[in-house]
Amino acid sequence: MLDTMIIGAGPAGMAAGIYAARAELSHLVLESGLMSGGQIVNTSEVDNYPGLKGIGGFELAMKFREHCDACGVKFRDGKVVKVEKNEERFLISLEDGETYSAKTVLFATGAKHRTLGVPGEAEFAGSGVSYCATCDGAFFRGKEVAVIGGGDVAIEDAIFLARICKKVYLVHRRDEFRAAKTLVNRLRACENVEFVVKATPARIEGAGKVERLVVNTETGERELPVSGVFVAVGMLPNSELLQGLVSLDASGYVIAGEDCRADVPGVFAAGDLRTKHLRQVVTAAADGATAIYEIEAYLNER
């Protein structure tokens, strides 16, 4: 029986693996993708991870994996189809029919961004189309960009970008916003922000890089001359395995605090999967470390 099963091999899962190996906990990191790294594999450049300014997302993921390998972290490819608690242990069933037993389970399955589903979005993802203004905004300093969405995150992103960009277009399908009024008022006070309301994205165009966002308005198509498109229409946590096992919030995130403990003893959540304010590589890695510390404490309690 393993001390802990770590499900997910993004920054949170790999950091957890390093700490588990160093703590000499029996463990296994399950990864279902083609390679380790999670979302950062598809990011062209990461500019806010301390000590590694401007590193490529794929390169950063490989550095995480190299560190894991050097520490003796144990990995296995496999898709988990079911996790159930059986008395004082957890049974983890894989798609290939194999089943593992563990004293604790750390879920680090992350979340995925909701997409627009318009032409050009996938083509320019990571190269002009971004889902994180905090991560990528600095690359568009002095340029014109568009933010798509009407919730708190979209408005906060637009405020953030307005400080460093020449102009920000806020595109929203309605003329009212879900975001807090105080945030909207702050954005309206920004002189370099234009509200493009009752508009929906039609396509993203460019030759090798983003050059324009075409939107559908009440009067027809309109072209916005932007270098970057920031999509802020929500996230989808990868929490299907946890439904019925632990408590989730209304959006599907695992309800877990800074100690990464879910409300079922022995279940932990780290990274983008859990309820938190800031979802970044650095906070995911911190969660992985914290979760193993808490798992050690949990095992010692028993």
Side-chain angles (χ1 to χ4, degrees):
M1 184 189 301
L2 297 171
D3 287 326
T4 189
M5 175 67 82
I6 301 168
I7 303 176
M14 287 195 282
I18 291 169
Y19 274 75
R22 289 172 58 84
E24 298 186 353
L25 297 179
S26 58
H27 68 278
L28 189 62
V29 179
L30 291 173
E31 56 181 343
S32 59
L34 296 175
M35 61 184 68
S36 306
Q39 294 181 53
I40 59 171
V41 171
N42 300 316
T43 302
S44 61
E45 190 172 353
V46 178
D47 203 42
N48 56 1
Y49 194 83
L52 296 173
K53 186 180 186 303
I55 190 171
F58 178 82
E59 185 183 357
L60 180 58
M62 292 305 98
K63 284 186 176 294
F64 269 67
R65 180 58 191 257
E66 289 168 7
H67 193 166
C68 286
D69 292 340
C71 290
V73 177
K74 295 177 173 59
F75 287 85
R76 186 200 191 285
D77 294 332
K79 182 179 180 181
V80 180
V81 294
K82 187 176 183 181
V83 178
E84 55 187 334
K85 187 170 186 179
N86 185 354
E87 296 180 351
E88 292 299 314
R89 64 175 181 165
F90 294 89
L91 299 177
I92 301 98
S93 301
L94 273 58
E95 192 174 48
D96 61 11
E98 191 164 0
T99 299
Y100 289 89
S101 176
K103 298 174 186 175
T104 63
V105 181
L106 170 56
F107 288 88
T109 50
K112 52 185 174 287
H113 294 277
R114 290 183 186 272
T115 60
L116 302 172
V118 300
E121 180 181 16
E123 176 187 351
F124 294 110
S127 299
V129 173
S130 172
Y131 301 88
C132 179
T134 308
C135 310
D136 301 327
F139 300 125
F140 298 89
R141 187 178 300 276
K143 299 180 180 180
E144 296 191 11
V145 300
V147 175
I148 301 172
D152 285 349
V153 172
I155 303 303
E156 288 170 351
D157 284 356
I159 292 171
F160 171 78
L161 292 167
R163 300 190 191 112
I164 59 175
C165 295
K166 179 181 179 182
K167 184 170 184 177
V168 177
Y169 297 92
L170 179 70
V171 180
H172 186 44
R173 58 184 176 174
R174 296 189 295 268
D175 57 0
E176 295 182 353
F177 301 91
R178 299 189 313 277
K181 289 184 178 181
T182 53
L183 284 175
V184 177
N185 289 337
R186 283 177 57 194
L187 185 61
R188 291 191 186 281
C190 298
E191 296 181 354
N192 60 336
V193 174
E194 179 179 340
F195 286 74
V196 183
V197 295
K198 294 185 178 181
T200 57
R203 57 189 180 276
I204 300 167
E205 299 178 337
K209 61 180 181 179
V210 172
E211 295 176 349
R212 72 191 69 86
L213 169 66
V214 181
V215 298
N216 290 320
T217 70
E218 292 181 314
T219 58
E221 286 192 345
R222 177 183 175 187
E223 293 186 358
L224 306 179
V226 298
S227 301
V229 177
F230 290 84
V231 181
V233 293
M235 297 281 291
L236 293 172
N238 298 317
S239 58
E240 295 84 0
L241 290 170
L242 290 121
Q243 293 178 5
L245 180 63
V246 300
S247 295
L248 308 177
D249 70 7
S251 299
Y253 292 96
V254 179
I255 298 176
E258 293 300 319
D259 60 3
C260 299
R261 296 194 183 208
D263 61 355
V264 171
V267 179
F268 298 78
D272 289 0
L273 180 68
R274 77 171 181 88
T275 49
K276 60 194 303 185
H277 293 297
L278 184 63
R279 293 183 170 89
Q280 303 269 277
V281 178
V282 68
T283 61
D287 275 4
T290 298
I292 295 301
Y293 175 85
E294 294 294 334
I295 285 171
E296 286 188 90
Y298 172 85
L299 294 174
N300 288 335
E301 290 167 5
R302 284 155 176 73

